[in-house]
Amino acid sequence: MPVVWIGLAGEPTFDARYWVCGLDPDPVFSEQYWEHGWPLVYLRRHVVNEESAFYRVDHGFLKFTGVRLAADMLISAVILGAAGYVLWAPAKSAALRGFAKFSLRSALAGVTIVCLAAASYGNAWRQSQYELAVGARLEQLGHRVQYGRSGPRWLTRLFTRDSEWVTFRVMKEFQLFEEAGDRDLEIALQAGLKDAAHLQELHLGDSRITDDGLARLLAARRSWSIEKLSVDRTPITGQAFVGCRSLDQLEVIWMNESKCTDAGVAAVSRLPGVTFLNVSDCPVTAKSIDYALEMPKLRKFVAFYSSIVAADGDELRARGVECLPEDNPEFVDVFSESSASDPFAASEFFDDNPFERSSN
């Protein structure tokens, strides 16, 4: 039962309640992220304004990977099969030796499991201590760091991430200080940013970094789990993404008020997991729509204050992609039932800086 639960049950990785100042003190907006699978994550769920549970695999906005589910089930079957063989194969001889005695095979299997579990737990603790030290160095350099909790997934499945002894503090978000340049980014990399294995959001907006600096960052990172990237109000054109093949988990990109061109959108279109792209107030044309059509998972394309007009996005809308601007744009009620189905519908109506929004 523990093996099946670890392999298939869900785990809440983020749970937040938001309030609106001056209104009823009760929470008016809730948000949850769930993950299913071990050792791979085959299902991610995003639930808005509803409560979910460990077994609600059909609940919320879903990101499903069938290959990972098959791999997880195969690994679980191997573990169960090996355990069954170790425990029951020598059943007859064990019965002759006595009820409370174990075979040498069982003892070796038990010691191996304990050693592997201890190594996994110790590695998570060591990585946490390292990332806390890296975060302290980055903060001394003037950057901003936000922390979250993480631990061995097999352990957090059985218990909860709220337990101090189960999870440890790790770096989840990083933001360059304003007006930082390529040299400052290089110093941050040398300070340990490239080794932050749990980093999920990277905010480089309002800085002076170039495509060369961003390309060095993408090449230097050793473990990519980045899901959100913002380079708004920077000289970035998008050429840093050319040939980049290590961003499979990147879903959300803010490039508004940058120097992103059609060629930059073409480079972004080759990233397999992007669901949201904002190129507002950028020198892009209707050609970018053609590149957006090549993005298999795109759900929202935003291009306000550009040469792209509402009619240019008709083909995107026909495919179910929300494309802004529209002919008759209406204010999206971020707390309504309809907007809850779109995890990024509220993005345009919060503060432009996503780091400020998440930290609040």
Side-chain angles (χ1 to χ4, degrees):
M1 289 179 63
V3 171
V4 174
W5 183 265
I6 292 171
L8 300 176
E11 174 188 14
T13 60
F14 179 80
D15 189 358
R17 301 291 185 273
Y18 304 100
W19 286 261
V20 175
C21 296
L23 299 181
D24 193 284
D26 293 332
V28 295
F29 183 69
S30 64
E31 187 175 27
Q32 288 183 328
Y33 283 90
W34 289 77
E35 288 184 352
H36 296 253
W38 181 89
L40 306 176
V41 176
Y42 70 88
L43 176 65
R44 286 185 170 88
R45 299 191 287 122
H46 183 205
V47 183
V48 180
N49 287 345
E50 293 184 78
E51 292 295 328
S52 193
F54 298 96
Y55 50 84
R56 297 286 303 275
V57 295
D58 61 338
H59 191 209
F61 168 69
L62 309 178
K63 181 183 178 183
F64 174 75
T65 307
V67 175
R68 293 188 175 187
L69 173 60
D72 283 346
M73 294 185 69
L74 178 61
I75 293 171
S76 297
V78 170
I79 293 174
L80 291 173
Y85 177 76
V86 168
L87 294 175
W88 288 293
K92 293 183 179 180
S93 59
L96 295 176
R97 291 193 302 268
F99 177 75
K101 296 181 179 179
F102 297 91
S103 66
L104 179 60
R105 182 188 302 171
S106 299
L108 290 175
V111 171
T112 300
I113 292 173
V114 171
C115 290
L116 290 174
S120 174
Y121 186 83
N123 183 67
W125 177 84
R126 180 196 58 80
Q127 182 67 26
S128 169
Q129 298 303 303
Y130 178 75
E131 292 194 19
L132 288 175
V134 170
R137 290 197 295 267
L138 293 174
E139 289 173 335
Q140 289 177 353
L141 293 171
H143 308 296
R144 295 185 59 189
V145 177
Q146 188 165 335
Y147 300 91
R149 302 196 67 83
S150 182
R153 192 177 295 131
W154 60 269
L155 190 58
T156 56
R157 286 284 194 275
L158 292 175
F159 298 94
T160 172
R161 292 199 176 202
D162 294 333
S163 302
E164 295 288 338
W165 66 274
V166 172
T167 58
F168 310 99
R169 294 184 68 203
V170 293
M171 290 176 55
K172 291 291 188 179
E173 301 179 24
F174 171 79
Q175 182 183 28
L176 275 177
F177 63 80
E178 292 187 10
E179 298 302 319
D182 289 350
R183 177 58 180 165
D184 300 300
L185 185 58
E186 186 69 27
I187 295 174
L189 285 172
Q190 297 303 319
L193 178 62
K194 61 185 179 182
D195 299 318
H198 300 89
L199 200 63
Q200 294 179 343
E201 299 189 24
L202 191 60
H203 302 288
L204 312 176
D206 296 301
S207 67
R208 295 180 288 105
I209 63 169
T210 64
D211 285 281
D212 290 339
L214 180 59
R216 285 197 295 272
L217 169 62
L218 300 182
R221 288 259 310 150
R222 298 178 181 176
S223 177
W224 276 108
S225 58
I226 298 295
E227 298 177 0
K228 298 180 182 179
L229 172 67
S230 64
V231 291
D232 44 313
R233 296 179 292 278
T234 65
I236 297 293
T237 67
Q239 291 303 303
F241 298 107
V242 174
C244 184
R245 302 181 183 275
S246 59
L247 293 172
D248 292 346
Q249 297 185 21
L250 183 59
E251 298 181 358
V252 180
I253 304 179
W254 285 276
M255 300 184 73
N256 44 295
E257 299 182 62
S258 68
K259 304 299 182 182
C260 180
T261 62
D262 293 333
V265 177
V268 171
S269 69
R270 297 182 178 90
L271 302 177
V274 176
T275 60
F276 174 93
L277 177 61
N278 188 337
V279 290
S280 296
D281 205 0
C282 294
V284 294
T285 68
K287 183 65 177 176
S288 291
I289 298 293
D290 297 331
Y291 297 126
L293 289 169
E294 300 175 2
M295 303 171 70
K297 297 184 179 180
L298 186 66
R299 300 182 63 247
K300 188 168 184 178
F301 181 82
V302 185
F304 287 116
Y305 310 112
S306 68
S307 63
I308 296 176
V309 297
D312 295 331
D314 288 344
E315 191 171 353
L316 271 179
R317 298 186 192 96
R319 297 190 180 187
V321 179
E322 183 178 359
C323 183
L324 300 176
E326 296 178 332
D327 288 323
N328 297 303
E330 297 180 358
F331 184 83
V332 177
D333 180 5
V334 298
F335 307 121
S336 69
E337 187 105 4
S338 59
S339 64
S341 62
D342 182 356
F344 307 119
S347 300
E348 297 304 313
F349 304 104
F350 285 100
D351 184 270
D352 285 339
N353 189 331
F355 187 89
E356 293 285 354
R357 181 170 69 253
S358 61
S359 61
N360 289 336

